[in-house]
Amino acid sequence: MADGNVKKDMLNKNSLCGVYRMIFERSRTAVFITDRFFCISEANAAAEKLSGYGPGEISSMKLSEMIIAEGPSSQIFKGDNAFTDEGSSFAARLIKKDKTAVAAEISVKKISGGIFIVSADISKINKTDDSPDKINIIEYTIHATLDALPLWIAYGDTLGNYQFANKYYSATFKLPIENIIGHNFKEIFPPDLYKKHKLLYDECIKTCCSVTFEDKVTLENGLTAYAYGLYTPLFAEDKTVYGVSVASFDITAKKELELQIQKAFDETKESEEKYRTLVENSICGIGIKEGDKIIYANKTLMKMFGYDDFKEFSSKKTTDYQTPESQKKVKIWMDKKSIGEADDDQIEVDIIHKSGKLITVVLNSADIKIDGKTYTQSAFIDITERKKLKEALKEWTLRYEYIVEASGQLAYDYNLTNGEISWETKPEKLLGYKTKELKSTIKTWSELLHPQDREKSVKKLNEAEGVMLDDEYRLRHKDGHYVWVRDRGIFLRDESGRAIRQIGMLQDISGLKNAEIELISAMQQAESASKAKSVFLANISHEIRTPMNGIMGFTNLLGSSGLNERQKEFNSIIKESCAHLMKLVDDLLDFSNIETKKLKLENAPFNIHYALISSIEIVSEYYKAKNLELEKFVDERINYLVIGDQLRFKQIVINLLTNAIKYTSKGKIGIKILQSSLNEGVSNITIEVSDTGIGIPREKIGEIFEMFHQLGDSNTSRHGGSGIGLSIVKGLIEIMGGNIRVESEPEKGSKFIVELPFNIVRNKG
Ligand code: ADP
């Protein structure tokens, strides 16, 4: 630029003077005088007119700001390199002050002194019969029109350098026109968009045909916009393409509409599909008929009627599926329905299943109009099972009611959350009140409770522990007396385990309760009587024993006082009777002690074998006197001492042996002592005492262990006994933790089997 100013005067003086200057001034071709950097120093009137710049403006401009060359010469005015060619001419666009462009034939001529004359001839390119002014007006009008359009309009050279862009275009890219014209669209477009458009642009040039495009862009505000456009080749006279115009417009609204339509279409399709699936798989059978003809049935309906194939199903008329009664029923209902007098909008009818069975359905119908035709749409619900269940339930409910009624119990349903209680059966029988006389509240129940039972029973109910409540208490009858009831109710709980309901029954147990009370008092009386008896027995035994000892002592003295034979005989009878009496007294004392649980056992080691031998010794006199044989067996494994009460053990053995001898007149008696088991220091000993005596009848076996029990008077009188021995034996054995049983056959003999557990002392036998 500086260079240009320096040269200006020189140019004026030397280069253009006189006639040349006039030619320069008046030339209709626009002429610019520049330095070698194409910095304008002067322009003629035509140049000023063409460019639209005034004389003051133009002289400091660079040609590169005004003329955009095309083709190989495109860089001619750009850059800071000095132009060295002698001259050249080329096609270019001249950008006017108003930013419109005009095609021009540019010729550059170098004059001496580094001065260039650049002329722009628009007449060659914009060939027209019109005058240049007119051309400019048209061009201006076109550009003004394009500026006014809400379309993106631009055109550029074959390389994509803008020659024109309308206002809408510059506004969209937020760039002033001068920052667009002469620039390549590569600088303006985002990279991706440029890539796409470069291909389209080149294709348009290459194919010499219009190319359309559609763009989807995300705007700054995040919304999506759509544009549709067209690249059109611009042809020179020689049919070569010298540029490309683009016109595109915003189709966002159209696109959105299209998208909405598509979406609506998809949704319709989807919802249609949804409804189809819904209807097909509906739990109720759905059918549509036209007159009597079935025109649609969903799968559920066909399955309900026993069909798989619609053709087969629809080959019958709807009435064919109804029993004659159902046909009548449906007809009446439909008729009433049509005049709005039907009681119910559904009806229960029997349908003939394919198998011939009848099924009960609930039918609901409505008329629908499609394309002017009337159809009936019906919904069916199979209630066959439900009906059966309902009937069964009714039957069960009735039965339950009868049972509860018959039992005379009062059933209740108590809601623990609100304190409401409902009396499920008539309370009259139990409490004398009619149902309506009893308030449905738990308060009523607690008011009827006996004061002595109230605290306990209310607490028990409120605690609601366990699955069931089982309580006994008294409720006041209407006539004032109290009724003993047994209350048994099941608690129903919520998810957290809190009891929310109780269902149960009140049973009148007054009879049982009174009997129980009587029984308890009888037992108490009996107990005290038995206690008194035992005390009496213990006392009397001691009382008898003292004089008996005296009698025994003096009888012995009497025996050695020189009695004659007859007196000796009397004396020995007295002695025998005394011994017998003493035994009886001892037995009574034992029995009394066993019964009152006062008997204390010794716990000392003893030898079972020795105890047996000594017991046999005591009875030997008796069996020998009766000429009976005695068989004895002791298990050799019992080689240890046992811990227990030796005297009581001997008492058991002697008693059983004495009985065996007593009730056997011939044959033998036997005693076996066996070790039935030995475990962890405990030996289970079995004692078997057998005889070949009179035996015991089977039906009497259970009685012989009872106190004072004797079989038949003749036996007792014949064998002499008190009927107390076995009950003492049994009592002793049980205190020792054992048991006794008997096997016997009349006239063949008896076997008493005793099992006794003993702790043992090892290796002391
Ligand atoms: P008693 O003193 O009468 O023998 P027990 O209590 O010892 O009293 O016996 C009860 C009854 O059992 C006897 O009266 C007798 O009838 C019957 N009894 C007991 N042992 C035998 C036995 N070995 N053989 C037959 N009967 C027996």
Side-chain angles (χ1 to χ4, degrees):
M1 192 75 78
D3 196 8
N5 287 333
V6 172
K7 300 280 179 201
K8 202 173 166 186
D9 289 343
M10 192 175 72
L11 275 169
N12 288 342
K13 282 176 198 156
N14 301 334
S15 314
L16 295 162
C17 56
V19 86
Y20 294 116
R21 180 152 196 96
M22 212 169 73
I23 296 167
F24 166 71
E25 294 282 356
R26 296 198 177 169
S27 170
R28 289 182 66 179
T29 306
V31 181
F32 303 91
I33 299 169
T34 74
D35 62 13
R36 58 197 165 101
F37 297 105
F38 296 109
C39 192
I40 303 168
S41 57
E42 209 165 331
N44 67 357
E48 284 168 6
K49 193 178 176 193
L50 181 65
S51 67
Y53 292 102
E57 293 170 306
I58 210 162
S59 61
S60 57
M61 285 176 75
K62 263 187 125 181
L63 268 186
S64 58
E65 291 173 51
M66 197 185 294
I67 298 174
I68 297 156
E70 287 172 2
S73 309
S74 61
Q75 298 302 315
I76 194 162
F77 299 128
K78 291 189 175 168
D80 290 332
N81 292 336
F83 189 75
T84 49
D85 285 1
E86 287 301 308
S88 66
S89 61
F90 48 84
R93 275 165 298 121
L94 195 139
I95 313 294
K96 297 180 183 185
K97 189 184 177 185
D98 66 4
K99 303 302 172 201
T100 58
V102 61
E105 170 79 34
I106 303 291
S107 70
V108 180
K109 273 232 157 63
K110 183 184 177 190
I111 324 177
S112 60
I115 297 168
F116 286 83
I117 294 181
V118 179
S119 60
D121 187 354
I122 60 165
S123 61
K124 283 186 187 156
I125 291 170
N126 304 285
K127 213 170 183 180
T128 166
D129 292 337
D130 297 321
S131 68
D133 283 351
K134 201 175 170 192
I135 292 166
N136 283 341
I137 288 167
I138 293 168
E139 208 175 282
Y140 175 80
T141 312
I142 291 170
H143 285 165
T145 312
L146 294 180
D147 271 341
L149 287 174
L151 306 173
W152 296 290
I153 297 171
Y155 54 84
D157 63 16
T158 50
L159 294 173
N161 298 313
Y162 288 96
Q163 290 173 5
F164 172 76
N166 71 348
K167 280 187 179 156
Y168 196 69
Y169 200 98
S170 75
T172 304
F173 285 102
K174 292 198 175 90
L175 287 172
I177 291 288
E178 53 268 35
N179 288 3
I180 298 177
I181 306 296
H183 293 264
N184 198 288
F185 73 100
K186 186 177 185 174
E187 300 163 37
I188 293 174
F189 277 37
D192 282 353
L193 203 65
Y194 171 73
K195 220 167 153 189
K196 175 185 165 188
H197 281 260
K198 172 78 174 128
L199 291 172
L200 296 165
Y201 206 89
D202 290 347
E203 192 190 335
C204 175
I205 295 165
K206 201 174 146 201
T207 58
C208 301
C209 291
S210 294
V211 177
T212 58
F213 62 86
E214 201 174 294
D215 283 334
K216 179 184 174 186
V217 285
T218 307
L219 303 176
E220 275 174 4
N221 59 8
L223 296 173
T224 306
Y226 296 87
Y228 175 81
L230 177 79
Y231 282 110
T232 310
L234 300 172
F235 295 103
E237 250 175 47
D238 61 357
K239 306 278 186 243
T240 57
V241 176
Y242 71 86
V244 173
S245 77
V246 60
S248 65
F249 51 94
D250 188 348
I251 55 159
T252 309
K254 175 179 167 272
K255 201 76 194 173
E256 270 173 2
L257 196 68
E258 267 176 26
L259 285 172
Q260 273 174 17
I261 291 168
Q262 183 62 42
K263 201 174 155 208
F265 177 73
D266 289 348
E267 275 173 8
T268 314
K269 229 174 118 188
E270 200 180 290
S271 81
E272 200 180 295
E273 183 67 28
K274 201 160 74 190
Y275 284 119
R276 205 177 62 81
T277 320
L278 223 102
V279 170
E280 276 302 308
N281 300 299
S282 163
I283 52 156
C284 63
I286 295 169
I288 299 174
K289 63 172 186 163
E290 188 184 0
D292 257 354
K293 200 176 148 36
I294 300 165
I295 61 163
Y296 170 77
N298 72 349
K299 279 186 201 151
T300 319
L301 182 63
M302 291 200 287
K303 209 172 155 209
M304 197 185 286
F305 282 51
Y307 293 84
D308 284 330
D309 180 33
F310 177 70
K311 232 175 163 181
E312 188 188 358
F313 181 66
S314 59
S315 65
K316 290 189 186 179
K317 288 189 289 181
T318 50
T319 44
D320 293 342
Y321 290 108
Q322 296 163 359
T323 59
E325 298 79 52
S326 292
Q327 281 179 26
K328 269 186 237 160
K329 203 171 165 186
V330 170
K331 192 174 175 324
I332 295 168
W333 176 65
M334 291 290 263
D335 289 348
K336 279 190 173 174
K337 212 168 167 260
S338 65
I339 52 168
E341 281 183 7
D343 298 333
D344 213 340
D345 58 354
Q346 55 188 26
I347 183 172
E348 204 176 295
V349 280
D350 285 336
I351 292 292
I352 308 160
H353 188 266
K354 191 181 178 187
S355 63
K357 278 191 306 191
L358 287 186
I359 57 166
T360 310
V361 299
V362 167
L363 168 67
N364 192 323
S365 289
D367 283 348
I368 49 169
K369 275 202 170 155
I370 304 172
D371 295 337
K373 279 189 178 176
T374 304
Y375 301 91
T376 307
Q377 184 193 314
S378 304
F380 299 78
I381 295 172
D382 186 349
I383 56 156
T384 317
E385 287 306 311
R386 202 202 294 172
K387 206 176 154 193
K388 273 190 208 159
L389 268 174
K390 214 169 146 188
E391 271 157 21
L393 193 70
K394 206 169 147 194
E395 163 83 21
W396 272 102
T397 313
L398 260 181
R399 199 179 297 178
Y400 153 80
E401 277 170 10
Y402 287 142
I403 291 169
V404 177
E405 205 75 51
S407 74
Q409 299 193 24
L410 174 55
Y412 64 84
D413 185 347
Y414 167 44
N415 185 337
L416 275 82
T417 55
N418 61 12
E420 267 178 30
I421 190 162
S422 83
W423 307 103
E424 300 293 315
T425 48
K426 292 175 194 151
E428 202 168 357
K429 198 170 172 191
L430 185 80
L431 300 171
Y433 291 100
K434 293 209 161 64
T435 311
K436 58 179 178 205
E437 290 177 312
L438 278 185
K439 277 192 199 147
S440 298
T441 145
I442 196 69
K443 221 175 141 206
T444 310
W445 170 80
S446 70
E447 278 168 7
L448 291 178
L449 270 171
H450 192 289
Q452 284 173 8
D453 299 337
R454 190 170 296 142
E455 194 184 337
K456 173 211 73 165
S457 292
V458 170
K459 186 168 175 259
K460 210 167 171 185
L461 178 67
N462 289 341
E463 280 168 358
E465 279 170 357
V467 181
M468 271 197 82
L469 170 103
D470 193 346
D471 195 11
E472 286 178 4
Y473 48 78
R474 285 159 286 181
L475 287 178
R476 198 178 59 246
H477 191 273
K478 193 181 177 183
D479 65 16
H481 77 275
Y482 279 92
V483 183
W484 268 105
V485 296
R486 180 166 185 190
D487 179 356
R488 278 198 284 189
I490 291 173
F491 289 115
L492 307 182
R493 297 176 188 277
D494 64 10
E495 280 163 9
S496 67
R498 189 173 64 109
I500 48 165
R501 216 171 138 190
Q502 190 209 4
I503 296 171
M505 296 217 258
L506 301 179
Q507 182 191 2
D508 186 348
I509 53 159
S510 301
L512 277 172
K513 206 70 193 176
N514 292 336
E516 191 185 303
I517 291 165
E518 276 170 25
L519 194 72
I520 288 170
S521 92
M523 268 169 65
Q524 281 167 350
Q525 275 177 21
E527 249 172 44
S528 62
S530 147
K531 227 178 193 166
K533 184 188 77 185
S534 299
V535 173
F536 169 75
L537 270 176
N539 290 344
I540 205 76
S541 302
H542 279 291
E543 293 304 319
I544 294 171
R545 196 181 268 275
T546 320
M548 282 303 295
N549 281 334
I551 296 170
M552 291 276 274
F554 282 99
T555 315
N556 283 339
L557 286 175
L558 197 64
S560 53
S561 65
L563 299 176
N564 62 27
E565 281 310 305
R566 196 164 158 74
Q567 284 169 330
K568 271 184 188 168
E569 197 185 327
F570 289 160
N571 195 42
S572 87
I573 291 170
I574 294 169
K575 241 175 112 179
E576 218 173 277
S577 296
C578 277
H580 191 77
L581 199 57
M582 282 296 269
K583 167 89 171 69
L584 188 64
V585 168
D586 283 346
D587 280 354
L588 281 174
L589 201 62
D590 279 349
F591 179 79
S592 161
N593 283 337
I594 289 169
E595 213 178 33
T596 53
K597 299 192 169 50
K598 276 189 191 153
L599 192 91
K600 293 277 173 293
L601 293 178
E602 278 282 320
N603 260 329
F606 72 92
N607 186 314
I608 285 183
H609 203 167
Y610 293 164
L612 175 67
I613 290 169
S614 108
S615 304
I616 290 172
E617 242 174 59
I618 291 169
V619 298
S620 63
E621 188 189 334
Y622 305 119
Y623 72 81
K624 280 178 186 160
K626 287 181 88 171
N627 279 327
L628 296 172
E629 204 183 310
L630 180 114
E631 274 179 1
K632 174 189 89 150
F633 174 82
V634 180
D635 195 328
E636 61 187 18
R637 289 175 299 173
I638 309 173
N639 57 356
Y640 41 77
L641 297 185
V642 296
I643 296 168
D645 191 324
Q646 183 174 203
L647 279 177
R648 296 297 180 184
F649 176 82
K650 278 167 72 181
Q651 188 180 348
I652 293 165
V653 171
I654 292 166
N655 226 308
L656 293 175
L657 281 173
T658 312
N659 275 356
I661 297 163
K662 204 189 319 182
Y663 298 106
T664 307
S665 49
K666 59 175 193 290
K668 54 187 176 187
I669 55 167
I671 181 155
K672 262 189 197 173
I673 299 190
L674 304 164
Q675 172 191 289
S676 43
S677 69
L678 179 63
N679 260 328
E680 293 173 5
V682 177
S683 172
N684 281 305
I685 298 293
T686 305
I687 306 160
E688 290 180 5
V689 179
S690 58
D691 62 58
T692 55
I694 59 169
I696 307 158
R698 181 181 289 264
E699 68 279 7
K700 302 283 183 188
I701 279 179
E703 299 170 6
I704 58 170
F705 297 103
E706 285 169 20
M707 174 72 164
F708 302 120
H709 191 277
Q710 292 175 324
L711 302 181
D713 296 339
S714 60
N715 265 357
T716 324
S717 51
R718 196 151 30 104
H719 302 285
S722 57
I724 199 173
L726 280 182
S727 53
I728 291 171
V729 165
K730 188 167 185 265
L732 286 173
I733 289 167
E734 282 170 0
I735 292 173
M736 288 175 170
N739 62 74
I740 181 167
R741 62 197 159 86
V742 62
E743 294 168 3
S744 184
E745 213 178 310
E747 306 306 331
K748 290 211 167 152
S750 311
K751 189 199 271 183
F752 286 79
I753 303 144
V754 177
E755 285 171 336
L756 284 172
F758 286 106
N759 287 324
I760 66 162
V761 183
R762 277 276 178 201
N763 302 325
K764 288 275 170 81

